[in-house]
Amino acid sequence: MKASEREFVLSEMRGMLVATQGIMEGANRGDMQAVIKAASAAGMGVAADANPALIAKLPLDFKTLGMSVHQDMDDIAKAAAAGTPTAEILKMESNTLTKCIACHSVWQLQAVH
């Protein structure tokens, strides 16, 4: 992939990390509006903006795992909006982080110069 494409994907991952921190902070303060805002910022809406040519270059397993994390973020936002207890929100986020760890342990994005 091109360096600019690699940077786009890495930027998206950084966004997920920022969202995760926002979810954790909001949940720890009991601020479900902050959880909703943070989780929604990394949901499927973000994934819809991806360049189709770039998506075609990514391995299917990478895309599947990445999209499931975006969906998890939407699920966390919906759960927070529905009044799901904080402990359950944190469990959902923990399960999502397991996917992040799995992806980062397997994949490395190399740019072609």
Side-chain angles (χ1 to χ4, degrees):
M1 76 177 33
K2 296 176 189 174
S4 62
E5 293 169 329
R6 178 180 183 272
E7 184 53 39
F8 175 83
V9 174
L10 293 177
S11 176
E12 187 172 320
M13 287 183 212
R14 287 183 208 105
M16 288 184 194
L17 185 58
V18 169
T20 296
Q21 192 276 332
I23 291 166
M24 301 294 290
E25 184 177 316
N28 284 326
R29 287 193 329 251
D31 183 350
M32 288 302 136
Q33 290 305 311
V35 171
I36 294 165
K37 182 179 178 183
S40 296
M44 291 298 286
V46 174
D49 292 338
N51 178 336
L54 169 60
I55 296 299
K57 292 179 182 182
L58 298 171
L60 180 59
D61 290 343
F62 180 89
K63 291 185 278 198
T64 301
L65 196 53
M67 290 299 167
S68 75
V69 171
H70 286 297
Q71 184 59 58
D72 286 355
M73 292 296 185
D74 283 341
D75 292 345
I76 290 167
K78 288 176 191 168
T84 300
T86 301
E88 185 62 26
I89 297 290
L90 292 172
K91 182 178 179 182
M92 292 171 76
E93 184 57 34
S94 178
N95 290 340
T96 300
L97 281 170
T98 299
K99 294 177 184 181
C100 297
I101 291 167
C103 187
H104 283 266
S105 70
V106 173
W107 301 102
Q108 289 187 352
L109 299 176
Q110 301 297 322
V112 177
H113 300 283

